[in-house]
Amino acid sequence: YGYQPNRAGFINCPFHRGDRSASLKVYDKDFHCFGCGAHGDIFTFVMDMENCSFKEAFEILEGPMKDRALLQI
């Protein structure tokens, strides 16, 4: 999605408007927005961004993983 976390690991939250400063903290395994309360893992992030089901989010994320697996063979 092109977001680049700052040194503290924050990005501007894509889930609410009016975010003048970065409020969404990206952790190793999940995220949390201190502005709107959005939180979850990578699947939740994709589901919210794409407005899709878990299965669809899994399939979206499967593409980059398939490419990575082919490179390792």
Side-chain angles (χ1 to χ4, degrees):
Y1 295 100
Y3 294 102
Q4 292 296 320
N6 64 19
R7 284 187 267 165
F10 284 88
I11 64 171
N12 285 357
C13 182
F15 305 118
H16 71 272
R17 298 186 191 276
D19 202 10
R20 285 183 246 140
S21 61
S23 62
L24 188 140
K25 173 73 171 170
V26 179
Y27 298 99
D28 288 338
K29 296 184 180 187
D30 59 354
F31 68 92
H32 179 77
C33 178
F34 293 93
C36 69
H39 64 278
D41 58 12
I42 186 67
F43 295 104
T44 307
F45 188 86
V46 173
M47 288 166 54
D48 291 347
M49 290 294 288
E50 300 291 333
N51 193 27
C52 66
S53 68
F54 177 82
K55 181 180 178 184
E56 292 167 322
F58 183 83
E59 290 169 352
I60 290 168
L61 291 169
E62 181 183 29
M65 297 305 289
K66 259 189 199 175
D67 294 342
R68 228 186 270 170
L70 289 174
L71 291 174
Q72 293 176 354
I73 293 177

